[in-house]
Amino acid sequence: MKAVCWQGVNELSVERVPDPAILNAQDAIVKVTASTTCGSDLHLLGGHIPAMRAGDVIGHEFLGEIVETGPEVTRHRPGDRVVVCSIIGCGRCWSCRHGDWSLCENSNPNPGITDLMWGGSTAGIFGYSHAMGGFRGSHAEYVRVPFADHNAFTVPEGVSDMDAVFASDAVPTGWMGADLGGVRPGDVVAVWGCGGVGQMAARAAMLLGAERVVAIDRYPERLAMTTRHVGCEVVDYTTTDVVSELRERTGGRGPDVCIEAVGMEADSTGLQRVYDGVKQRLRLEQDRPAAVREAIHACRKGGSVFVLGVFAGFVDKFPLGALMNKGLTLRGAQQHGQRYIPKLLELIGRGDLKPSHLATHTMTLDEGPRGYDLFRNKKDGCVRAVFRPWI
Ligand SMILES: NC(=O)c1ccc[n+]([C@@H]2O[C@H](COP(=O)([O-])OP(=O)(O)OC[C@H]3O[C@@H](n4cnc5c(N)ncnc54)[C@H](O)[C@@H]3O)[C@@H](O)[C@H]2O)c1
Ligand SMILES: [Zn+2]
Ligand SMILES: [Zn+2]
């Protein structure tokens, strides 16, 4: 089959790789009908995620049709149209049973790497390095889905492919940020980043009853898209002092909940930009945390900051003093999609959530490298490129 493969830093190619086969009784094989780019893939391309190997198939946000099931799959049968959670849970371990699916203790066959890096192993993720299990990704014609009963979700009739595909990753990630960030009715919420994840976090905050939601980015087309499709306020961080502006809009207090949806390659302005850029290139800090710093600084006393953006290791100039003295709660996680996907598909079905606008570009798998060029470099207003292998 055809697949988009990582070959090295900023290097992708379309290759022929062997078709996947059922390896475990709980596996299903999914014929991919839509698979999208995600900000997390940019960290792979940038060479910031360890344990990638040339030839690895990337991609993790996808929708497809079940074509084969192992003997222990009971909830699905060939022909089901399913969205698959980007992060793999077993459904049986302590973490999965407690709803912390991205901390699954069984789905990552190489737990040693993350255990060593972080003091605890995390779940397997499709197409996201050998540290996350070495699973083949979804920018391919077929994918093997482990523990299919727990990771594949039947898409209700009436929900379009282009809405459903984002229930794999961007929608549940955004929802988790608002939910676990503790958004309550009447809150003011600020979201850093107007990519797919930030936009979905802002929308989730609104649906959870936030009174005001302010989303922050620099790209005019992303800001305009957020105003139009999410319906919240926006701020351009290159022309506005974000912290003062958020104070101004919250009667001097700062937002109750700050959601960071930017990650380890955050852009910044002024001295901070030079400082983080040099330190990251010299490997003196692994991640550039500009948006996390700003969120902590802006957050109201006693408020909460949720980090959705992906970070891999150590950061510099972390404002621990502000965190401690302002009594903030700081949390982060890879998404626990399995908790939310059924409910989110319902919200999509009712029209409360409509993520399909994120699919700014649709193309064949052969155009994978071009799709990533558009997405990575924010060309032509690209927010998500969607590959449809069978079109
Ligand atoms: N926690 C999870 O499970 C999970 C799931 C999906 C994606 N992610 C992560 O979420 C992050 C966002 O993903 P995405 O797909 O929306 O990515 P994206 O690259 O499309 O969007 C990121 C946005 O952040 C903006 N940005 C950069 N620096 C900023 C700053 N200082 N302040 C405000 N905005 C800034 C960029 O202009 C860009 O529009 C990535 O780090 C990705 O890895 C996490
Ligand atoms: Zn993702
Ligand atoms: Zn588990």
Side-chain angles (χ1 to χ4, degrees):
M1 66 169 182
K2 263 189 218 169
V4 180
C5 300
W6 186 93
Q7 300 296 1
V9 175
N10 292 332
E11 222 186 298
L12 294 175
S13 64
V14 179
E15 304 289 335
R16 290 226 155 252
V17 299
D19 284 351
I22 301 273
L23 297 182
N24 182 298
Q26 298 166 56
D27 288 349
I29 303 297
V30 168
K31 179 179 173 181
V32 178
T33 46
S35 174
T36 92
T37 60
C38 168
S40 298
D41 298 321
L42 300 184
H43 312 320
L44 295 178
L45 280 179
H48 301 292
I49 302 290
M52 285 298 290
R53 294 185 199 146
D56 284 348
V57 178
I58 63 166
H60 55 265
E61 183 164 44
F62 67 109
L63 175 90
E65 181 192 321
I66 302 243
V67 290
E68 197 184 344
T69 52
E72 287 177 25
V73 174
T74 59
R75 294 185 196 160
H76 293 294
R77 54 184 52 207
D80 285 1
R81 184 168 68 120
V82 291
V83 60
V84 178
C85 185
S86 58
I87 300 190
I88 304 164
C90 75
R92 292 182 187 81
C93 72
W94 192 90
S95 294
C96 287
R97 281 189 286 110
H98 285 78
D100 294 339
W101 293 79
S102 71
L103 309 179
C104 176
E105 286 132 42
N106 289 323
S107 66
N108 183 348
N110 304 325
I113 304 174
T114 49
D115 202 9
L116 192 70
M117 279 163 53
W118 302 323
S121 64
T122 53
I125 305 182
F126 292 100
Y128 214 66
S129 88
H130 293 266
M132 308 299 176
F135 291 96
R136 285 230 189 102
S138 61
H139 296 339
E141 291 172 306
Y142 296 94
V143 183
R144 178 176 75 92
V145 174
F147 306 111
D149 278 345
H150 298 287
N151 297 304
F153 296 84
T154 301
V155 178
E157 264 180 53
V159 172
S160 74
D161 284 3
M162 280 306 175
D163 280 315
V165 66
F166 298 109
S168 164
D169 191 76
V171 178
T173 301
W175 193 274
M176 180 184 74
D179 178 36
L180 302 188
V183 173
R184 282 186 298 208
D187 276 355
V188 178
V189 178
V191 179
W192 277 256
C194 292
V197 172
Q199 290 188 39
M200 291 303 110
R203 185 70 197 142
M206 292 169 73
L207 290 172
L208 289 170
E211 192 179 297
R212 277 186 98 160
V213 178
V214 184
I216 303 147
D217 207 299
R218 73 178 298 176
Y219 292 98
E221 59 283 4
R222 288 185 174 215
L223 293 168
M225 178 188 265
T226 307
T227 309
R228 176 150 173 239
H229 291 278
V230 177
C232 68
E233 302 170 39
V234 295
V235 165
D236 177 345
Y237 69 85
T238 58
T239 56
T240 313
D241 181 295
V242 172
V243 176
S244 326
E245 185 65 23
L246 290 173
R247 289 270 149 78
E248 191 72 31
R249 294 190 193 194
T250 51
R253 265 172 23 127
D256 302 288
V257 179
C258 293
I259 301 173
E260 193 270 4
V262 174
M264 60 167 78
E265 292 171 88
D267 177 42
S268 49
T269 48
L271 195 58
Q272 184 177 215
R273 181 192 181 93
V274 180
Y275 181 87
D276 281 329
V278 170
K279 287 207 91 166
Q280 193 177 44
R281 269 193 294 280
L282 294 177
R283 302 277 176 214
L284 293 173
E285 79 176 336
Q286 273 161 313
D287 308 325
R288 302 199 301 261
V292 178
R293 290 186 193 121
E294 197 164 74
I296 290 176
H297 200 67
C299 194
R300 76 152 163 84
K301 292 185 284 180
S304 105
V305 176
F306 200 96
V307 179
L308 288 175
V310 164
F311 288 84
F314 299 95
V315 300
D316 202 358
K317 299 278 180 288
F318 180 77
L320 189 56
L323 179 82
M324 186 271 158
N325 288 287
K326 280 166 64 181
L328 303 183
T329 302
L330 175 69
R331 289 186 76 173
Q334 292 280 7
Q335 61 132 347
H336 305 308
Q338 293 83 347
R339 268 197 210 191
Y340 302 114
I341 292 172
K343 177 173 138 188
L344 295 172
L345 285 170
E346 248 179 72
L347 289 176
I348 294 173
R350 289 212 301 264
D352 289 335
L353 267 168
K354 208 162 173 13
S356 52
H357 70 274
L358 300 175
T360 50
H361 294 72
T362 304
M363 57 192 77
T364 64
L365 215 46
D366 289 318
E367 295 179 281
R370 184 176 80 86
Y372 272 96
D373 177 45
L374 291 169
F375 176 56
R376 180 178 174 75
N377 299 305
K378 319 277 189 292
K379 288 182 186 164
D380 194 28
C382 185
V383 173
R384 284 276 196 275
V386 182
F387 307 120
R388 307 210 71 175
W390 300 97
I391 290 176

